[in-house]
Amino acid sequence: MNYFSTRDKSLKFSFKDIFLRGLAPGGGLFLPSEIKRFDQEELNNLSKLNYVDLATEIIFNFCKEEINKEQLKILIDKSYSSFKNKEVVNLKKVGDINLLELYNGPTLAFKDIAMQVIGNLYDYLKIAQKKTINIVVATSGDTGSAAIAALNNRENINLFVLHPHNKISNVQRKIMTTIGSSNIFNIAIKGTFDDCQKIVKELFNDDDFRSKINMSGVNSINWARIVCQIVYYFYSFFKLKKDNICFSVPTGNFGDIYAGYIAKKMGLPINKLIVATNKNNILERVINTGEYKPHKVKPSISPSMDIQVASNFERLLFYVLGENDQKVSLLMDDLSKKGFFKLDQSTIQDIKKDFEAVKINDEDTQLIIKNINDEFNFIIDPHTATGFGAAKKIKGLENIVVIGTAHPYKFGDIVKKVTGKNLQVPSNLKMDIDKKEKFDIVENSNSQVKSYIFDKLK
Ligand SMILES: *Cc1c(COP(=O)(O)O)cnc(C)c1O
C-alpha cells in the first residue's frame, strides 16, 4: 500500500514520507491507496478487544509496511499510559444522549488521542535521528497544547506553535505558554486560525524553506492524526451495541468527523455523521447548499471551531467526486482564484447519504450548557454543547453518540458565566498553568514567521 494526493493520484509515498511531510506536494492532501474493509466476522473479533488492542488492529492497516505489529502495540500502550482511564475514552449516558468523552488525556481535549501516538511515532520512525526536525503547527487552541504535551523535551525536535492572538481561551493559552521548555516556541499571530493555517501551508509549499529547516507538521491534515481517531468510532459502536449508529461531531477542520467517515468505509455500520458547527458554518452551508465560500472568521464561545477553511473537506471531495483528482484540483483552483466553489446537486446528494449538518449559535450553545447542568447536574464544554444541540435538532435519527471534544475546565470562564460553577482542575492535566507564560506576538505574514523561526534556530 502507498499514499497518493487528492490532487494527483499518480504520486506514491510511504507512510513514513506522508507522516513527515503532512501536506502533499502541490498542496493536496494524502490518502491511502487501499482502505481495509472489515467483514462481519472480523468486526465480531474486533468487538472483543480493549482500546489499545483495537487501536493496534486498526492503525496497523495504514502503516504495515513500516511498523511491526507488536512494536506498534507497545507504542500505543505507552502513548495512552498518561490518560485518566485505561480505556482512553469513556461512553456515558446523559439523559437519552450517549456521550463519548474524549478528554481524558494530558491536555484535556480529544487532540491528545492522536497526538500522543504521533509523538512516539517520531521516535519509532527515527525521523529526528540524524538531523533536528522543526515541526510547525497551527492551532485553534487544542492541537497546540496536545502537540506540546506529546513533543516536549524530545531530542532533536523543535516545535513552533502558531495560535491566533487573543482568540483562544485563557486556559487553552496557558497550557501552551507555561511549558518553559527550550524546544517549544509559542507564536501568537495577529490574525485568525485560518491565517495561522494558511501560513503553515505556505511554508510547507515553500520547498526551499521546508528543506532548509527540515520541516514537519502535525496538523489534522497529517493523515496519521485521522488514523488514530478512527479507533474511537469503532470502540463506541462496540460499546453501544446498536446498529445504525449516528455520531454528532463538533466540527472545525473536518478532521475528527472525517475519521468517522473512514470508519464507515472500513465497514462500521454508521448511519449518519452529523456535522455540528458554530456560527462559522462553512461546512453546514456547503453540505446544505453546495456552496463552499469562506467568510471572515467570527470569534465564538467555541474557539477551537472558529475556522472557515476546513482543510480535510478536500479528502471527502475526492471520494464524492468519484476519486477524480482532476476534479478536486479544479475546485481547489476555483477556491484560490475566485474565493469559492460550487458543488452540483448529485454531489450534494452523495454527501447527504452520509452526513447531516447543523449550525448552533452562541446563544443556543449557552442554553444547552445551562439546561444540561440544570437537568443532570453535569457540565459540558461549549464545543461538546454544539454536538448536543445538533443531535437534538436533527429529527428521525436514533442511537446518536455525541463526541465530547474538550473538558469544560478549558472553557471555565464561559461555564462559570452560564452555570455559576467554578470547575476544579482535572487530575489528568499534566501542566502547571500558574507558571510564567512565554510567547511572542508576530505579524500575520509568512515572511515574518519565517524570520522568527530562522532567528530561533541560529
Ligand atoms: C479541534 C477541535 C474541534 C474540531 O475538530 P476538527 O477535527 O478540526 O473538526 C472541536 N472541538 C474541540 C474542543 C477541538 O479542540
Side-chain angles (χ1 to χ4, degrees), residues 444-456:
N444 173 15
S445 118
N446 79 20
S447 59
Q448 295 280 319
V449 173
K450 273 193 207 168
S451 32
Y452 176 94
I453 293 175
F454 279 137
D455 199 46
K456 294 293 174 193

Side-chain angles (χ1 to χ4, degrees), residues 109-111 140 142 250-256 304-305 307 383 405-406:
F110 81 88
K111 307 292 203 297
S140 58
D142 295 320
T251 296
N253 220 0
F254 206 69
D256 199 10
S304 306
M305 290 154 54
I307 295 176
H383 304 79
T405 51

Side-chain angles (χ1 to χ4, degrees), residues 200-237:
V200 171
K201 281 187 175 176
E202 283 168 358
L203 299 187
F204 265 108
N205 277 325
D206 181 338
D207 285 334
D208 185 46
F209 179 77
R210 190 164 50 79
S211 61
K212 249 188 207 142
I213 70 158
N214 200 19
M215 177 174 167
S216 181
V218 294
N219 270 111
S220 68
I221 48 179
N222 190 322
W223 177 254
R225 292 254 320 256
I226 309 264
V227 165
C228 297
Q229 293 171 191
I230 295 169
V231 180
Y232 46 74
Y233 287 90
F234 278 86
Y235 186 83
S236 43
F237 170 75

Side-chain angles (χ1 to χ4, degrees), residues 310-354:
S311 294
N312 283 294
F313 193 69
E314 181 171 340
R315 287 192 160 116
L316 176 66
L317 285 178
F318 179 81
Y319 289 113
V320 295
L321 295 171
E323 307 193 11
N324 187 325
D325 52 356
Q326 297 300 314
K327 281 190 182 167
V328 175
S329 301
L330 286 175
L331 290 183
M332 291 302 144
D333 277 351
D334 276 355
L335 182 62
S336 71
K337 295 200 182 103
K338 295 191 224 153
F340 72 99
F341 62 77
K342 187 119 183 99
L343 302 174
D344 58 29
Q345 271 308 317
S346 77
T347 308
I348 300 172
Q349 288 317 315
D350 245 18
I351 293 177
K352 287 233 154 197
K353 278 185 209 145
D354 297 313

Side-chain angles (χ1 to χ4, degrees), residues 80-99:
Y80 295 140
S81 59
S82 63
F83 278 56
K84 198 170 90 187
N85 52 334
K86 244 184 96 217
E87 287 294 84
V88 184
V89 304
N90 185 28
L91 185 68
K92 64 162 63 147
K93 277 258 181 223
V94 181
D96 56 2
I97 288 283
N98 306 290
L99 171 65

